[in-house]
Amino acid sequence: MTSLLSLDKRRYLVTGVLNNESIAWHVAAALQREGCEVVLTSFGRVARITRKVADLLPSPAEVLDLDVMSDESVASLAEQIESRWGQLDGVLHSIAAAPPDALGPGFVSAPASGVLDGFRASAYSFQQLTTALAPLLARAPGGGAAVGLTVDSTRALPGYGWMGVYKSALEAVARYLALHLGPSGIRVNLVAAGPVETVSARGVRTFAELADQYERWAPLGWDRADPARVVGAVLFLLSDLSRHTTGQVVHADGGMHAVFGGVGVSPAMGTGVPPAATAPAGGTTASRGETATG
């Protein structure tokens, strides 16, 4: 089991880091602590911020340009990774975008141009990036891994609008990538994260209310201010522990996807173990920070 758990000396590409509250930043930090080499990507005006927080990682990481709206930019990134490493053990796709008028009630009125751009950035880009890197992932010992970040898209989430549709599409993209890239030894999976305070979360006006539900009803508890709660699932899918797992959505949400929020479980409905013995550390309701400040 030791070799399956080890990520030492492996090489990973992590996209979607904006600041040190980003889930992707915490994944990059965790990979470095496990002895991995990590390269980040960013683009445009936010790249300056990404480069600053890259210096806050356990080891400063280089930031390469990646514009997923440009075929040339994606191809250039693959060429740079090829010349740098010659192979790639895994990639984290943590990219999503939607115009403000496509969120919430804008779902019924957003113009097609913005909606389609959002689809390309949020769903198609996972296929585009993974297939561009596929030759490098296929050279990884035991096969490489592509992991994307999503939310629980089995239900309509108030406030998400077209972003909810993009996440549903992302799950379908992951399944088809798993089908087509599996023969090359490449596995493709997603992590469905509970609500975490990030810059993107700030754009969802219902984020605070949704996070309240998770923090009140998730069986294992939840804390919107703790992106590290999602990291373990990502590391599992990037490691050899998931060598025979592909096409899956792993939920890192305190178990909220499995229960009907808003209806509590009384001690009488439990196992007979006193509530204090079964509550997660810190209590059943995790402490909250402010609403989206990421």
Side-chain angles (χ1 to χ4, degrees):
M1 292 294 292
T2 301
S3 62
L4 294 177
L5 288 166
S6 175
L7 294 169
D8 189 39
K9 294 182 174 59
R10 298 196 178 190
R11 294 162 171 171
Y12 292 95
L13 179 68
V14 176
T15 72
V17 171
L18 175 56
N19 58 29
N20 58 349
E21 294 177 347
S22 303
I23 293 173
W25 186 92
H26 286 269
V27 169
L31 287 170
Q32 287 188 343
R33 286 193 291 268
E34 292 298 319
C36 302
E37 293 184 64
V38 175
V39 167
L40 310 181
T41 72
S42 190
F43 183 73
R45 290 179 297 176
V46 302
R48 178 179 57 85
I49 303 173
T50 304
R51 289 187 169 91
K52 286 185 176 180
V53 298
D55 290 337
L56 301 179
L57 290 167
S59 298
E62 186 171 358
V63 180
L64 302 179
D65 283 341
L66 172 62
D67 176 10
V68 294
M69 306 301 285
S70 164
D71 294 340
E72 293 76 14
S73 179
V74 175
S76 174
L77 175 69
E79 291 171 0
Q80 291 178 74
I81 299 297
E82 166 83 47
S83 62
R84 172 188 297 265
W85 287 333
Q87 69 177 51
L88 188 64
D89 291 288
V91 55
L92 174 65
H93 177 279
S94 182
I95 299 171
D101 60 0
L103 301 177
F107 176 81
V108 298
S109 58
S113 58
V115 169
L116 294 176
D117 283 347
F119 173 82
R120 176 169 184 174
S122 305
Y124 174 73
S125 65
F126 190 39
Q127 181 271 353
Q128 185 182 30
L129 179 63
T130 303
T131 54
L133 297 172
L136 304 175
L137 292 167
R139 296 174 197 159
V147 178
L149 293 181
T150 185
V151 296
D152 181 9
S153 62
T154 59
R155 297 166 292 178
L157 296 175
Y160 270 70
W162 278 101
M163 183 57 73
V165 176
Y166 301 153
K167 293 302 187 181
S168 294
L170 181 66
E171 293 188 15
V173 169
R175 289 193 293 270
Y176 278 91
L177 281 171
L179 171 67
H180 288 282
L181 300 182
S184 299
I186 301 169
R187 56 195 187 275
V188 183
N189 298 285
L190 300 177
V191 172
V196 176
E197 289 178 346
T198 63
V199 170
S200 60
R202 185 186 300 164
V204 180
R205 286 182 291 179
T206 58
F207 172 82
E209 290 83 357
L210 290 169
D212 285 343
Q213 287 287 306
Y214 277 72
E215 292 180 343
R216 186 174 184 186
W217 302 115
L220 293 176
W222 191 251
D223 182 354
R224 71 187 79 185
D226 183 14
R229 292 181 178 230
V230 183
V231 172
V234 176
L235 295 189
F236 160 70
L237 293 174
L238 290 174
S239 76
D240 284 349
L241 286 172
S242 66
R243 183 174 290 177
H244 304 290
T245 301
T246 196
Q248 293 294 311
V249 178
V250 176
H251 291 266
D253 62 356
M256 188 64 188
H257 71 283
V259 303
F260 185 86
V263 179
V265 178
S266 68
M269 297 171 62
T271 62
V273 179
T278 58
T284 56
T285 303
S287 61
R288 291 187 290 148
E290 298 297 324
T291 55
T293 59

